[in-house]
Amino acid sequence: QVWQIRLDVHLLNHDGNITDAASIAGIVALCHFRRPDVSVQGEEVTVYTPEERDPVPLSIHHMPICVSFAFFHQGTYLLVDPSEREERVMDGLLVIAMNKHREICTIQSSGVVMLVQDQILRCSKITAVKVAEITELIQKALENDHKARKEGGKFGFAESIPNQRITAFKMESAAVDTNNVEEQAGEIIAKADPPSEVFASPVLHTPGTAQIGEGIENSWGDLEESEKEEAAEEEGESEAAAFECQKTETEDTSMMRETKKDEPILLSDSEEEDVVILEPQEVPRKTR
């Protein structure tokens, strides 16, 4: 027998990068959760209430934390933790989930930008630093919560509800100056440090996920001997099939030219052209 746990995430305020926020909230909820204690004697299973025994935490071996990267100008510039407005204008998004042991748990790429190896390695190094910082913050928050509960106080979500620090998200409207936005953006890009290496711009035929670009040098090398032999055999078979197909077409043409004397001939009204009606004949199918 096993426990079944379901984790639901409810969004209270979405201002961008919901993947990272949801991953942190989910892993913290699982670390904070306590299940009832259980004892097993033979085939008899006893589940104890919180009054009988203190609930026990789950067995969590590591914390996978997601870190998102937004890319602009075909991957020339990257941004960590994009906001909602930045997500609207980004070319692509890369999400890397990693634990504090530098073990990559998952990678997800989306958008119309193609990434090369150096860009992914750069993002993975940044992810390792961010994951170490976030994991330390999570552990400190859990320790503070445990300490506050032992002292009989409230900490975290339970403390925030009466003060309406979580449930009330109201922001006063503020005027935004949109004059000379393009010039300001150009100045910011000009001041930014250029990438260490300039990559060829990929050619994307259709927008979507995991696009394949053109223009990057092939790194697979020459074909193996066995592959060369297979390619030569396929080319020989193609030439033989094409020759048979041409031969069949020649035979069909010669058969159509041979007409019998008793075949009907229809004369047009102007008697300038003769139209010959041939009997339907079976033409062998062209096979390759």
Side-chain angles (χ1 to χ4, degrees):
Q1 296 181 355
V2 297
W3 291 102
Q4 182 180 0
I5 300 174
R6 189 183 73 180
L7 178 63
D8 296 329
V9 179
H10 299 275
L11 306 183
L12 300 179
N13 183 22
H14 179 22
D15 192 30
N17 197 10
I18 194 61
T19 303
D20 295 9
S23 72
I24 295 174
I27 194 65
V28 173
L30 293 175
C31 293
H32 187 268
F33 178 73
R34 298 292 185 272
R35 66 167 178 82
D37 196 5
V38 177
S39 65
V40 181
Q41 295 179 355
E43 296 183 355
E44 183 180 355
V45 179
T46 305
V47 180
Y48 297 98
T49 62
E51 290 77 15
E52 296 174 339
R53 288 190 184 181
D54 291 336
V56 296
L58 301 176
S59 299
I60 298 178
H61 302 289
H62 66 102
M63 298 181 185
I65 305 297
C66 292
V67 179
S68 297
F69 299 88
F71 292 93
F72 304 88
H73 290 273
Q74 291 296 328
T76 306
Y77 303 99
L78 64 87
L79 180 68
V80 184
D81 190 9
S83 65
E84 190 266 341
R85 290 186 177 182
E86 292 164 345
E87 288 181 348
R88 293 185 182 182
V89 296
M90 66 182 180
D91 296 332
L93 183 70
L94 177 68
V95 181
I96 301 178
M98 184 185 295
N99 56 23
K100 66 178 182 180
H101 306 295
R102 294 175 176 265
E103 297 173 344
I104 296 179
C105 304
T106 182
I107 295 180
Q108 180 186 9
S109 176
S110 59
V112 293
V113 63
M114 186 182 67
L115 304 177
V116 295
Q117 181 179 358
D118 293 343
Q119 292 170 317
I120 297 177
L121 291 176
R122 181 187 177 190
C123 293
S124 64
K125 293 178 181 178
I126 298 174
T127 302
V129 177
K130 300 296 294 182
V131 166
E133 296 174 356
I134 296 172
T135 303
E136 185 178 356
L137 291 175
I138 291 175
Q139 291 175 347
K140 287 183 179 179
L142 293 173
E143 290 174 0
N144 293 336
D145 178 80
H146 184 66
K147 182 179 179 181
R149 287 173 180 271
K150 276 191 173 182
E151 296 174 355
K154 292 182 179 180
F155 181 79
F157 188 77
E159 181 189 10
S160 302
I161 289 179
N163 300 329
Q164 294 185 352
R165 289 170 53 190
I166 291 182
T167 56
F169 282 99
K170 295 182 180 179
M171 298 178 62
E172 297 181 358
S173 58
V176 179
D177 185 12
T178 57
N179 296 325
N180 302 326
V181 174
E182 296 182 357
E183 297 179 0
Q184 295 177 6
E187 293 177 359
I188 295 173
I189 293 175
K191 293 179 181 178
D193 296 331
S196 58
E197 185 178 354
V198 179
F199 304 100
S201 300
V203 179
L204 302 178
H205 300 286
T206 55
T209 305
Q211 291 292 325
I212 300 176
E214 296 177 354
I216 297 179
E217 184 179 358
N218 182 14
S219 60
W220 290 97
D222 296 332
L223 294 175
E224 298 291 339
E225 292 298 330
S226 59
E227 295 181 355
K228 289 182 178 179
E229 293 177 359
E230 292 178 359
E233 291 178 359
E234 291 180 357
E235 185 178 358
E237 293 177 358
S238 301
E239 291 178 357
F243 177 75
E244 291 292 337
C245 181
Q246 185 178 4
K247 183 179 178 182
T248 305
E249 290 179 353
T250 306
E251 293 177 354
D252 294 344
T253 306
S254 60
M255 290 175 61
M256 293 177 64
R257 288 177 179 175
E258 294 176 0
T259 57
K260 296 181 181 180
K261 295 181 179 180
D262 55 351
E263 287 180 350
I265 298 177
L266 177 64
L267 298 178
S268 60
D269 295 337
S270 59
E271 296 184 358
E272 294 179 357
E273 297 178 356
D274 295 342
V275 181
V276 181
I277 302 177
L278 301 178
E279 294 293 335
Q281 299 178 1
E282 248 185 67
V283 180
R285 238 182 230 185
K286 302 173 185 176
T287 58
R288 182 177 180 181

